[in-house]
Amino acid sequence: VGFATRKVGVMTKPTTIISVDGDMVTLKTQSTFKNTELTFKLGEEFDETTADDRKVKSFVSIDNGKMVHVQKWDDKETTLVREVKDKVLTLV
């Protein structure tokens, strides 16, 4: 990730919308910098292009009420954990 992209990304305050239609989950992230949208089935691997344009293999599951999103690329891995508490979505 380039320096400028990292600096802009840190300053944004995105809005995240999670919706469910049958067994499909849609995760929309909207900000002044970039908007992204993922549609996937929980527990199934899928291809994703991240907001910083990485091509990754992703897997999303629910663990203890938290949405756990694992991204793998180039022998690297990152995990994003989303949790709703007191009507606020946090991302760790």
Side-chain angles (χ1 to χ4, degrees):
V1 177
F3 178 77
T5 301
R6 191 176 310 119
K7 284 294 187 183
V8 171
V10 167
M11 295 185 324
T12 62
K13 300 293 182 199
T15 298
T16 302
I17 302 164
I18 302 170
S19 59
V20 179
D21 184 13
D23 59 354
M24 299 302 292
V25 177
T26 299
L27 179 64
K28 294 180 184 180
T29 304
Q30 302 170 336
S31 73
T32 55
F33 176 61
K34 191 165 191 176
N35 297 328
T36 62
E37 182 174 329
L38 300 174
T39 300
F40 55 89
K41 285 185 181 181
L42 288 173
E44 291 187 12
E45 187 177 72
F46 61 96
D47 294 318
E48 175 185 359
T49 300
T50 64
D52 59 358
D53 291 322
R54 286 176 292 123
K55 307 289 188 226
V56 302
K57 292 287 187 184
S58 288
F59 183 88
V60 181
S61 61
I62 301 295
D63 186 22
N64 292 322
K66 299 176 184 177
M67 181 182 283
V68 180
H69 182 170
V70 178
Q71 298 172 327
K72 295 181 181 181
W73 76 104
D74 297 335
D75 294 324
K76 298 175 187 172
E77 181 176 311
T78 190
T79 300
L80 307 158
V81 179
R82 294 174 176 88
E83 179 180 21
V84 176
K85 196 179 250 185
D86 298 326
K87 298 184 181 180
V88 176
L89 176 67
T90 57
L91 174 61
V92 190

